[in-house]
Amino acid sequence: MTSSSHTEQKVVLITGASSGIGEATARHLAALGHQVVAGARRTDRLAVLAAGVRAAGGLLDGLELDVTSLDSVRVFVATAVDRYGRVDVLINNAGVMPLSPISDLRIDEWEQMIDVNLRGTLYGIAAVLPAMQAQGSGHIVNIASVAGLRVDPTAAVYSATKFGVRALSEGLRQESKDIRVTVVSPGFTHSELTDRGGSDAARSAARGATDRLAIPASAIAEAIGFAIGQPATVDVNELVIRPSAQN
């Protein structure tokens, strides 16, 4: 998928932008001419990202962001609005995926998935909605997962958060007239999602599947670019992007 050849410059905020889909999307949208504001906890990675984008002629600011903190998310958005006068797009991308059977009772990891994947998405919406409503336009892109379409063993809690992201995205879409809402559900994609947490067996299985099947994060970035590049009257509601070989 590609965006139109003439791209209206937008102010685009991206959470979880220090690696994986977030980083790839930041690079892609900056290359299309958008002003990108990239947020993540790992500011050292953001500095490298910003330097690379600027060297290529793009526009990107990196800001420290913890999506589990409403104050942090509000400061992230307010800083962007102060600098650029508006916020056109928010991409709620930050996510974690520690996989394990429910019987392992890894409750701290359940809480982390709820805090980052679901609550973090809600915090992002809460932080941008007043500004978007005031300007009469905006676009919220929520990154879900094919795990939000089906449930597999060891992924029950992760799936629950991603089903939740899809549900709140659809509810927000129905409530919104001027603000567009897109939910993007990637399949196996090269990222750092399988690097941390979960049971050893589940993490090993996920890594193996990723090694065999995964598509590049740039594929998701290009789909997001397509969605936000549509005319204001066109709302691309849902995109499911998975490897051809993924069942």
Side-chain angles (χ1 to χ4, degrees):
M1 292 176 179
T2 57
S3 298
S4 59
S5 56
H6 174 70
T7 301
E8 173 196 353
Q9 186 191 60
K10 297 180 177 181
V11 178
V12 181
L13 280 58
I14 306 175
T15 73
S18 62
S19 66
I21 291 171
E23 178 186 359
T25 302
R27 291 186 187 279
H28 180 63
L29 297 185
L32 291 177
H34 299 297
Q35 170 63 63
V36 175
V37 183
R41 291 175 301 165
R42 296 179 291 186
T43 54
D44 55 333
R45 296 251 191 127
L46 291 179
V48 172
L49 172 62
V53 166
R54 291 170 187 162
L59 302 171
L60 186 143
D61 289 339
L63 298 176
E64 184 172 8
L65 171 66
D66 176 1
V67 299
T68 68
S69 163
L70 180 57
D71 286 342
S72 178
V73 179
R74 282 177 168 161
V75 168
F76 175 63
V77 173
T79 301
V81 172
D82 287 345
R83 288 183 185 177
Y84 303 109
R86 58 190 295 111
V87 52
D88 297 305
V89 182
L90 169 67
I91 301 170
N92 276 313
N93 166 74
V96 294
M97 189 182 73
L99 303 175
S100 64
I102 292 176
S103 58
D104 280 5
L105 300 182
R106 293 176 178 260
I107 295 172
D108 287 347
E109 292 182 346
W110 300 352
E111 300 282 9
Q112 182 192 28
M113 283 186 278
I114 292 167
D115 287 345
V116 175
N117 300 352
L118 189 53
R119 190 172 281 118
T121 297
L122 281 165
Y123 285 171
I125 292 168
V128 299
L129 212 48
M132 288 182 174
Q133 288 172 330
Q135 68 196 25
S137 66
H139 195 163
I140 295 173
V141 179
N142 295 327
I143 307 301
S145 170
V146 294
L149 300 164
R150 57 177 283 175
V151 184
D152 294 304
T154 75
V157 179
Y158 178 71
S159 286
T161 65
K162 294 302 188 177
F163 270 80
V165 167
R166 291 184 62 242
L168 68 91
S169 300
E170 175 60 10
L172 179 63
R173 183 195 69 78
Q174 292 187 29
E175 294 174 8
S176 303
K177 294 294 182 283
D178 299 322
I179 297 165
R180 298 189 292 172
V181 182
T182 299
V183 58
V184 178
S185 296
F188 284 112
T189 305
H190 286 296
S191 73
E192 297 182 359
L193 265 185
T194 58
D195 289 358
R196 292 179 295 276
S199 69
D200 290 342
R203 187 168 60 250
S204 177
R207 281 180 177 170
T210 298
D211 290 343
R212 291 193 312 276
L213 300 172
I215 55 178
S218 60
I220 312 302
E222 290 170 11
I224 293 169
F226 168 80
I228 72 172
Q230 299 305 301
T233 54
V234 177
D235 191 358
V236 178
N237 300 140
E238 188 154 13
L239 291 166
V240 181
I241 305 118
R242 56 163 67 91
S244 300
Q246 183 175 350
N247 61 20

